[in-house]
Amino acid sequence: MRRPVAIAGLAVVGAALAGAQGPPSGLFGFTRAGAEAQQRLERRFLSLPDAARIKTAHEYLAAKPHVAGSPRDKELADWTARSFTDAGLEEVRISTHEVLLPWPLEVSVEMTAPRQWRASMREDPIPGDPYTNLPPEELGLPYHAYSASGEVTADVVYAGSGNPADYDWLAARGVDIRGRIALVRYSVPYSYRGFKALTAQQRGAAGILIYSDPADDGFGKGKVYPDGPWGPPSHIQRGGIVYDFMVPGDPLTPGWASVPGARRINPADAVSLPRIVSAPLSHQDARPILEALKGQRAPKPWQGGLGFDYRVGPGPAKVTLRVKSDDRIRPIWTVTGAIRGRERPDELVIVGNHRDAWIFGGVDPSSGSAALVELARTLGQLSRDGWRPKRTIVFASWDAEEFTLTSSTEWGEEHEEKLRAGAVAYLNVDSAASGPKFSAAAVPSLNRLIAEAAQAVRDPRLRIPIAAAVRARRAEERGALPTGASNELVNNRLGSGSDYTVFLNFLGVPVADLTFDGPYGVYHSMYDNHNWVARIGDPGFSYHAALVSLWGIATLRLATADALPLDPAPYAERLREFSTALRRRSEIAGGKAGVKVMDALREVDASIEALGKESQAFNKRRESALRAADTVVLDTINRRLLRFERSFLASEGIPGRPWYRHLVYAPKYTYAPELLPGIAEALDAADWPRAAAQALKLAAAISRAATVLREE
Ligand SMILES: [Zn+2]
């Protein structure tokens, strides 16, 4: 999974490059001697990533459909394990989890009025792209994983993007969704399809159909595949609709690992399982239904690209929607391997990508899977040359991410103790490259590391550092000349939608998510294949190679630095922004009842001030310890940095979502970031006592983080 298109209005925040009191060595986290060795190592490393080899790996990984749990998925797990071994990794293993992984037995959409018509549920072959000539039995049925099984016949209502405000609009005009089938579009900006399913379920709809409007990712955007990056008329966006914003991973083992023989709950008790029947449609298949709708004209923002007036119904289009899933427990496979650390083998720098795809997974995820294997090969080459990191580097090829971030969640739950004790950071790559635009999301403590890594690697086309390419692009988008003053690079607003979730939200590990983006309208369809990537997304695979380089530099620095390259100072800055936004909201909403909340938010502010001060003092101590190469002090500093992110966890989690333990970050139900989620959700619910209590909890957590940094 991943967001198909960057969210509009994304708040991108600054990441200081080498600051005023830069490191003595010019490399964040290194002593002078350490930096010299590191620079030699990095020069050697940067000569290793090979675009042609990545292309060959990609062609193999994306050659056939490999949905999670399938024989081909297992073959690729075995191949990945062999690649890890050949690369020189140690402790290569395939771990099995047994999880609820429904495959479809039947998915059909039939219009019974005003005329008989049946949706094809097929994607059309494209001349010149042999991948798209797949026989139906190999392609499988397009479906929404974890849809309820059932059959419903009802009048259709067009409900725009299927968000709560859309149903409010309908209700205000007397259009009742209850007992009807909602037809909604996958919209851009993206909101997670599971949120659309939940909203339809809560509003009492009998079923939901989600289709790809050409205005969002088809011909309304530009040329469609094979002439351009956008989705052809029959492209279908498959995907999970599970409510993993409540708890991700296997729905039947929430919060514990689904190792073979694990206890399972009854599906009726699983909070993450949808109760509504749901299916995806292409716009080719949605068109006859939309055209048949009468009733009021849909509001302007709901009008799409099909070239006629969209009306909301209800009816006279009547549809029979049938979904039958096999609801089987299936094995899935996580492949891991390691380069063991020489000095601190229990400290883990983890890199990962998911391997499973809805069909071929050209961009999502095989671009990332090919990059992961190349990263293993290139870092493995250094270790075969005799180099050893200080800390252990763990490589992970996840499975069933497309279902509910499944194998990363199960693996994280299984190894909770070891990870909470020793995980330094998790660097995720879902899709490596669908275009040339670098994009990074991370917790604030990783801003500086990512900015420096993006400075060390060149944009393959522009031949300037990636960091400079991003600044130039941002300046151009703002219509200004690049001034060099802006350091916008890392987005510190993390939601969910990929495998970093368990590390951040359950384990309190600093995470980053890296990619190169571009126009991409074939997400989760058959057309997301090797041909799309090789012809459109990244011809030459040079951005794949650049991603391996950047991912590798960040990994090497985390694994080798004398002082962990985590900077707590930007955390205080971001927290200040997040809390200011909440204060504005509670001022507006709270009135007299909000006074207690305001008092509690003042405690939050005081804790943030303390964290800001401690961070500055801590960074100064780190710089002098690095200058003096004082290993005793550096030891203490590293131990503290290892505990820093963990401070933001509350063992009981946020109210209503105990699995989500991080008090700064959680996903909204749409997967968009919910910042300071305990307070934000209480404010949404106008629950002032809860908001005040949550604010005090957050203040305590931030104070813990400040204490971790404080000199004894
Ligand atoms: Zn993905």
Side-chain angles (χ1 to χ4, degrees):
M1 206 159 1
R2 70 185 278 283
R3 290 187 293 264
V5 178
I7 292 177
L10 181 79
V12 183
V13 296
L17 290 170
Q21 21 149 10
S25 59
L27 265 191
F28 182 38
F30 288 85
T31 62
R32 193 175 295 279
E36 277 163 21
Q38 181 71 11
Q39 270 151 352
R40 277 195 302 277
L41 179 74
E42 290 184 5
R43 270 197 297 278
R44 164 87 177 125
F45 167 72
L46 286 174
S47 73
L48 296 174
D50 180 339
R53 198 169 33 227
I54 298 172
K55 182 177 181 180
T56 305
H58 186 269
E59 197 164 4
Y60 177 73
L61 284 157
K64 295 178 188 171
H66 52 286
V67 75
S70 65
R72 179 62 178 178
D73 177 34
K74 180 60 167 47
E75 252 173 56
L76 294 185
D78 292 336
W79 178 84
T80 303
R82 275 199 309 279
S83 305
F84 282 0
T85 304
D86 292 349
L89 305 195
E90 304 137 285
E91 299 167 29
V92 175
R93 68 169 59 102
I94 300 180
S95 325
T96 301
H97 292 103
E98 292 176 354
V99 301
L100 179 65
L101 209 73
W103 289 0
L105 300 171
E106 183 182 6
V107 183
S108 76
V109 176
E110 206 177 338
M111 188 160 69
T112 56
R115 64 184 174 95
Q116 279 290 331
W117 169 85
R118 200 184 170 87
S120 74
M121 308 305 278
R122 286 288 307 276
E123 296 176 307
D124 299 331
I126 299 271
D129 179 348
Y131 293 105
T132 62
N133 279 319
L134 210 61
E137 63 277 11
E138 276 181 57
L139 183 58
L141 291 166
Y143 77 123
H144 280 155
Y146 301 101
S147 162
S149 286
E151 173 180 329
V152 292
T153 300
D155 280 342
V156 173
V157 169
Y158 173 52
S161 288
N163 293 319
D166 301 330
Y167 292 103
D168 292 344
W169 187 92
L170 288 168
R173 281 150 191 84
V175 181
D176 192 355
I177 192 66
R178 283 174 300 175
R180 297 192 163 120
I181 293 175
L183 174 61
V184 309
R185 63 202 246 192
Y186 285 113
S187 52
V188 177
Y190 177 80
S191 80
Y192 170 52
R193 66 189 85 75
F195 175 63
K196 297 176 195 288
L198 175 70
T199 307
Q201 175 185 314
Q202 286 172 335
R203 299 294 175 125
I208 180 169
L209 296 167
I210 312 181
Y211 82 99
S212 308
D213 196 280
D216 296 336
D217 65 358
F219 61 76
K221 287 282 190 185
K223 284 187 178 162
V224 304
Y225 185 70
D227 303 316
W230 298 103
S234 67
H235 86 284
I236 304 174
Q237 183 190 135
R238 297 146 185 81
I241 58 163
V242 75
Y243 304 160
D244 55 10
F245 40 77
M246 298 303 297
V247 51
D250 179 15
L252 305 183
T253 64
W256 63 92
S258 52
V259 292
R263 176 171 69 87
R264 279 175 223 289
I265 60 170
N266 189 320
D269 298 327
V271 294
S272 66
L273 286 180
R275 312 291 166 194
I276 191 167
V277 183
S278 178
L281 286 179
S282 65
H283 69 75
Q284 188 166 279
D285 271 349
R287 171 191 278 273
I289 306 173
L290 274 167
E291 268 178 326
L293 287 176
K294 294 206 172 5
Q296 299 174 63
R297 188 174 190 273
K300 202 161 176 213
W302 299 15
Q303 295 295 331
L306 286 171
F308 53 83
D309 256 7
Y310 289 31
R311 299 194 167 266
V312 300
K318 187 185 272 274
V319 158
T320 298
L321 165 62
R322 253 184 241 108
V323 175
K324 193 163 170 42
S325 297
D326 67 3
D327 290 335
R328 270 182 54 189
I329 306 284
R330 295 190 149 86
I332 55 170
W333 307 281
T334 301
V335 186
T336 51
I339 299 175
R340 267 183 79 76
R342 176 170 34 86
E343 291 172 21
R344 306 165 175 279
D346 296 336
E347 292 182 8
L348 311 173
V349 177
I350 305 155
V351 295
N353 152 270
H354 75 93
R355 183 184 66 249
D356 66 301
W358 282 119
I359 308 287
F360 300 103
V363 170
D364 179 12
S366 305
S367 65
S369 311
L372 178 72
V373 168
E374 184 69 0
L375 183 67
R377 211 199 56 79
T378 49
L379 294 180
Q381 182 64 49
L382 300 179
S383 114
R384 286 203 301 277
D385 294 349
W387 165 82
R388 281 274 132 178
K390 282 193 175 62
R391 307 175 182 87
T392 297
I393 301 171
V394 177
F395 299 77
S397 163
W398 311 118
D399 204 352
E401 187 270 357
E402 295 293 5
F403 281 75
T404 168
L405 315 176
T406 319
S407 103
S408 58
T409 302
E410 301 307 320
W411 190 85
E413 289 170 347
E414 184 175 353
H415 301 288
E416 178 176 357
E417 217 172 298
K418 185 173 88 181
L419 293 167
R420 283 185 69 157
V424 169
Y426 172 65
L427 305 181
N428 187 62
V429 170
D430 189 317
S431 301
S434 60
K437 297 177 171 186
F438 179 67
S439 154
V443 295
S445 57
L446 285 167
N447 284 0
R448 186 163 169 186
L449 173 72
I450 294 169
E452 289 189 1
Q455 192 62 35
V457 178
R458 283 176 177 271
D459 181 294
R461 203 181 299 164
L462 302 175
R463 305 195 175 284
I464 54 175
I466 287 165
V470 173
R471 285 198 298 275
R473 171 162 54 85
R474 295 261 161 77
E476 200 180 288
E477 284 165 2
R478 284 194 307 266
L481 291 167
T483 60
S486 155
N487 288 320
E488 292 172 353
L489 191 71
V490 183
N491 168 21
N492 288 143
R493 291 161 191 260
L494 288 155
S496 182
S498 196
D499 289 305
Y500 56 81
T501 298
V502 70
F503 292 96
L504 177 65
N505 299 99
F506 189 73
L507 299 168
V509 175
V511 301
D513 189 40
L514 311 172
T515 188
F516 283 96
D517 265 335
Y520 170 53
V522 296
Y523 172 66
H524 288 186
S525 80
M526 172 173 77
Y527 309 108
D528 184 11
N529 60 30
H530 177 70
N531 205 48
W532 189 98
V533 175
R535 283 171 62 172
I536 292 167
D538 186 19
F541 284 72
S542 58
Y543 284 91
H544 283 72
L547 187 105
V548 171
S549 297
L550 197 152
W551 200 6
I553 293 287
T555 304
L556 283 172
R557 291 187 186 177
L558 282 162
T560 313
D562 300 296
L564 286 174
L566 299 171
D567 182 0
Y571 229 121
E573 289 165 34
R574 292 295 86 75
L575 282 167
R576 215 170 279 131
E577 290 168 16
F578 299 165
S579 114
T580 304
L582 279 192
R583 167 157 344 83
R584 260 185 241 121
R585 276 180 57 190
S586 47
E587 273 167 2
I588 295 162
K592 212 171 129 197
V595 169
K596 265 202 148 148
V597 183
M598 300 300 292
D599 284 349
L601 282 175
R602 265 191 286 280
E603 302 252 340
V604 172
D605 290 343
S607 68
I608 295 171
E609 286 319 304
L611 178 63
K613 282 206 189 83
E614 294 298 344
S615 300
Q616 301 297 344
F618 181 87
N619 281 345
K620 282 202 184 105
R621 291 206 305 282
R622 163 169 35 200
E623 294 313 332
S624 38
L626 284 170
R627 230 172 249 119
D630 184 336
T631 48
V632 177
V633 179
L634 288 172
D635 245 24
T636 325
I637 277 169
N638 283 328
R639 272 202 308 278
R640 286 156 186 265
L641 284 168
L642 205 52
R643 284 163 52 207
F644 177 72
E645 188 81 36
R646 274 19 145 226
S647 309
F648 297 115
L649 296 188
S651 55
E652 68 282 13
I654 58 175
R657 298 198 277 170
W659 190 90
Y660 285 93
R661 298 167 172 169
H662 205 292
L663 297 185
V664 179
Y665 291 109
K668 284 184 198 283
Y669 290 13
T670 58
Y671 277 178
E674 185 78 277
L675 305 166
L676 314 185
I679 312 169
E681 291 182 342
L683 290 178
D684 285 343
D687 184 341
W688 314 120
R690 189 173 101 205
Q694 285 296 311
L696 294 180
K697 256 186 199 171
L698 175 67
I702 298 169
S703 300
R704 282 199 297 278
T707 309
V708 162
L709 301 178
R710 190 170 304 148
E711 197 170 21
E712 269 128 32

